[in-house]
Amino acid sequence: MHINLTELFSQTVKDVTIQRTLEMDQLEFGGEVYEISKPIKIEFEVTQLGEGEYLTQGKVEVELVMYCNRCMNEVITMVEGQFTRELNEHVDDSESDDMKDYYKNSVLNVEKLALDEIYMNVPMKVLCNESCQGICKVCGANLNEETCNCEDDNVDPRLAGLKDLFNERFKEV
Ligand SMILES: [Zn+2]
Ligand SMILES: [Zn+2]
């Protein structure tokens, strides 16, 4: 989705508000595919600063289907981002490489702008609930829904990292 900014402005119009909904079914990044449960909405204001120079400020939001880090249940996660970006065609090439991905010859790539912002704000991990009990590593039971009688001789997953660290240290000595 591309918008030519020069067409929006005139002698009298210096501020424009743009709202768009991007119809996409999924997002793919970081080697993962995320289903989108509510379309990407982007809303931003563009202010003309000079010829080919604009300031954009706005927000983007989307609802993604993610999975609980402990029990793997679906977690509908709202991802929001706010941005302020200066668009300037006259910046020299070395500094504007990144910007040229979404802004070139007064044409703004709205999809790229929105996606960049979403990628930066997708949480690494989500939980269905802070107190999620997770899945029994022995029998696979969802411990939020049932209890099992497995011997719990495994190290608490929250401490596993610590145990590895101790082992590492021990090897070094
Ligand atoms: Zn969970
Ligand atoms: Zn079990």
Side-chain angles (χ1 to χ4, degrees):
M1 183 180 288
H2 293 80
I3 297 178
N4 189 329
L5 296 179
T6 48
E7 291 167 4
L8 303 176
F9 294 89
S10 67
Q11 283 293 84
T12 49
V13 179
K14 301 287 179 202
D15 276 292
V16 176
T17 300
I18 299 170
Q19 278 176 305
R20 291 287 187 277
T21 300
L22 307 178
E23 297 295 345
M24 296 171 71
D25 295 331
Q26 46 182 225
L27 285 185
E28 201 178 337
F29 68 98
E32 304 244 14
V33 176
Y34 300 87
E35 298 296 323
I36 293 175
S37 57
K38 205 169 162 191
I40 300 168
K41 274 203 294 188
I42 181 165
E43 183 180 338
F44 59 100
E45 197 177 270
V46 186
T47 306
Q48 189 173 36
L49 302 176
E51 204 204 320
E53 278 184 64
Y54 304 91
L55 182 71
T56 66
Q57 273 184 301
K59 59 180 188 208
V60 57
E61 60 178 52
V62 64
E63 249 179 41
L64 299 181
V65 180
M66 296 185 73
Y67 295 90
C68 175
N69 196 243
R70 291 185 199 148
C71 72
M72 293 306 289
N73 270 351
E74 235 178 63
V75 183
I76 302 297
T77 308
M78 170 75 101
V79 178
E80 292 173 286
Q82 294 204 347
F83 58 90
T84 300
R85 303 219 187 168
E86 223 172 296
L87 308 174
N88 188 344
E89 284 178 30
H90 312 300
V91 179
D92 74 58
D93 285 352
S94 56
E95 289 175 38
S96 60
D97 274 358
D98 173 50
M99 183 167 68
K100 284 197 166 150
D101 282 349
Y102 61 90
Y103 181 64
K104 206 174 183 181
N105 302 327
S106 291
V107 176
L108 182 66
N109 183 338
V110 179
E111 190 173 306
K112 181 84 174 80
L113 180 71
L115 294 182
D116 278 1
E117 210 54 49
I118 290 169
Y119 296 160
M120 275 188 277
N121 287 286
V122 173
M124 297 290 289
K125 290 175 181 177
V126 292
L127 295 177
C128 62
N129 190 309
E130 283 298 323
S131 60
C132 173
Q133 299 299 304
I135 291 173
C136 171
K137 288 197 287 313
V138 181
C139 72
N142 184 334
L143 301 176
N144 299 309
E145 290 159 9
E146 54 187 311
T147 49
C148 62
N149 297 311
C150 298
E151 290 285 332
D152 188 12
D153 54 7
N154 288 319
V155 178
D156 185 316
R158 283 166 298 182
L159 297 176
L162 208 59
K163 188 185 157 213
D164 289 340
L165 194 70
F166 274 118
N167 289 343
E168 288 281 310
R169 289 279 158 82
F170 192 68
K171 262 183 259 165
E172 282 168 24
V173 177

